[in-house]
Amino acid sequence: MTAYEQLFQAIETGNLKPGDRLLETDLAARFGVSRTPVREAIRRLEAEGIVTHMPRVGAVVRALGQQEIVELYEMRIVLETTAASMAAKHASSAEIRTLENLNAQMAECAKDPIKVARLNRHFHRCIMQAARNQFLSHSYQALSHALILLGKTTLETEPRVATVVAQHEDIIEALKAAQPQDAKVAMRDHMETSLDHRLKALHVDA
C-alpha cells in the first residue's frame, strides 16, 4: 500500500483518532517509507478535509464537533435514502443475496467491532451500487471520506449489532418487494438510529 492508503486506513480503523498529531518522522518509520510520501499523503488528506493544521501543533486528524456530525448525517440520510429507493427498482437477485450474506456475517461477527464495521460499510456500498446512478455514487464517495472522521464505530456491543442487523433486514425486505418508498423509510429509520447512537457516544466520550 502507498503511504496515503496506509495513513487513510490508520484513520479509518481508529488507530489514528481525531485530534491525533501526524508527525512525518513517526509515520515514515511506522509505514516503512521516507518522509516525502508521508508529507504528500498528509497534504492530500488535508485537501480532502480529513487532516487540518493547528497553530504550534502541526498536522492533526480533524475532529468533528456535534453540529458537523449532525450535518454529515443529514447529507448521509439524503444520499442513502435516495440510494435505497433506487435500489428497490434496480437491485438484481445477486445483489440482494450479497446483502443478505453480508448481514448474516455481521450477526456472526457481533463480538468483533472492527470486522462488523467493515461489513457494514460494504453493505451500504452495495446498496449504493445497486441504485445504478453514477452521480449519486460520486457524491457518496466524497461523503465516505468525511465519514472516517466520526472516529470509532458505534457497533461495539452485541445488542447494538442486533439492532442494526434487524434494520438491515427491513431494508432488504423492501428491496426484495421492489417497494421504493418502504426502502426509503427503512433506510431513514436506520440512519436516524445511527445518528442517535453517534451523538450519545460523543457525550459519553466527552
Side-chain angles (χ1 to χ4, degrees):
M1 288 193 292
T2 65
Y4 169 83
E5 290 169 335
Q6 291 185 79
L7 183 53
F8 187 94
Q9 186 180 75
I11 297 171
E12 183 179 37
T13 57
N15 288 325
L16 286 172
K17 300 175 177 58
D20 282 356
R21 294 180 67 188
L22 301 178
L23 301 174
E24 292 179 11
T25 304
D26 292 351
L27 292 173
R30 179 174 179 172
F31 300 151
V33 297
S34 68
R35 291 178 61 181
T36 299
V38 170
R39 187 179 305 118
E40 292 172 351
I42 290 173
R43 286 175 180 168
R44 182 175 168 184
L45 288 171
E46 184 178 8
E48 293 172 352
I50 295 173
V51 169
T52 188
H53 272 267
M54 296 180 63
R56 297 182 298 279
V57 175
V60 299
V61 180
R62 184 180 169 194
L64 297 179
Q66 178 171 315
Q67 183 56 36
E68 289 176 307
I69 291 173
V70 171
E71 290 173 4
L72 182 57
Y73 265 90
E74 285 175 341
M75 282 307 302
R76 189 179 181 192
I77 288 171
V78 169
L79 295 177
E80 299 228 29
T81 55
T82 301
S85 177
M86 291 181 172
K89 301 175 185 177
H90 304 299
S92 67
S93 297
E95 286 170 326
I96 291 175
R97 284 196 300 273
T98 296
L99 290 170
E100 290 176 325
N101 289 336
L102 288 169
N103 207 35
Q105 290 178 56
M106 285 182 65
E108 293 170 2
C109 300
K111 294 182 179 180
D112 187 337
I114 293 177
K115 188 173 289 185
V116 170
R118 188 181 304 120
L119 290 165
N120 185 56
R121 287 192 294 271
H122 193 180
F123 181 93
H124 285 272
R125 282 197 299 269
C126 283
I127 291 178
M128 192 61 59
Q129 291 166 1
R132 304 283 191 277
N133 188 301
Q134 61 177 316
F135 299 104
L136 183 64
S137 293
H138 290 160
S139 297
Y140 184 73
Q141 183 62 35
L143 187 72
S144 293
H145 277 64
L147 289 175
I148 72 170
L149 293 173
L150 292 171
K152 66 181 181 180
T153 178
T154 62
L155 301 172
E156 294 189 311
T157 67
E158 291 183 64
R160 169 69 178 132
V161 174
T163 297
V164 169
V165 167
Q167 290 179 329
H168 282 181
E169 287 174 354
D170 291 341
I171 295 168
I172 292 170
E173 288 306 310
L175 299 186
K176 279 184 177 179
Q179 293 292 329
Q181 186 58 31
D182 289 350
K184 189 172 186 176
V185 170
M187 181 61 82
R188 176 175 290 278
D189 288 345
H190 179 41
M191 288 291 99
E192 289 178 347
T193 300
S194 180
L195 173 57
D196 288 344
H197 276 271
R198 180 64 63 182
L199 294 178
K200 286 176 183 176
L202 182 67
H203 293 149
V204 169
D205 291 343

